[in-house]
Amino acid sequence: TFEPEVMYFIEVGMLFVVGLCMLLALKGFDRVLKNRMRVTAEEDKSKVYVGIYCVRLSLLALPMLLGTYFYYALLVNWGLYYALASLVASLFCLPSVEGVDAEMTIDN
């Protein structure tokens, strides 16, 4: 349906979007959380944590939705591979009680 050059740019662009979203969601979350928890008042920490966590999950939902869209729109398998990679990465983001407690009490 598309020219091969256009398909190449879509595929490479999607690769960079998925990579950047995963990097920001997995590694960037820790940096932002540590910096924000240090300067946030004790009573506002839970609101800040939920807000940052929603952004984190949104960053992982974007490649899932885009990958599924490109799979059905262009009928290429790589769209589902990107969606699956984001789904697996989102499983690493599920918080445990101990993990949330540790992240909420970051002091240094």
Side-chain angles (χ1 to χ4, degrees):
T1 59
F2 285 108
E3 296 291 323
E5 295 86 8
V6 175
M7 286 295 292
Y8 175 76
F9 283 118
I10 291 173
E11 187 173 343
V12 170
M14 188 64 187
L15 177 70
F16 283 117
V17 167
V18 170
L20 184 65
C21 285
M22 289 176 127
L23 181 67
L24 288 174
L26 296 175
K27 212 51 184 155
F29 174 77
D30 293 332
R31 289 186 183 201
V32 170
L33 187 68
K34 286 177 185 176
N35 292 335
R36 288 296 303 253
M37 286 299 163
R38 260 190 241 133
V39 298
T40 304
E42 195 64 38
E43 59 272 357
D44 294 333
K45 284 189 176 188
S46 62
K47 291 178 188 175
V48 170
Y49 185 81
V50 169
I52 293 172
Y53 206 83
C54 287
V55 170
R56 182 184 202 188
L57 290 180
S58 299
L59 280 171
L60 290 173
L62 177 69
M64 278 189 252
L65 295 173
L66 280 176
T68 305
Y69 170 75
F70 282 123
Y71 173 71
Y72 286 111
L74 303 176
L75 298 175
V76 290
N77 287 338
W78 55 261
L80 280 184
Y81 297 145
Y82 293 150
L84 183 64
S86 294
L87 178 67
V88 170
S90 69
L91 295 177
F92 289 104
C93 297
L94 295 175
S96 65
V97 175
E98 297 84 17
V100 172
D101 287 339
E103 290 170 342
M104 295 283 284
T105 57
I106 293 174
D107 289 332
N108 49 3

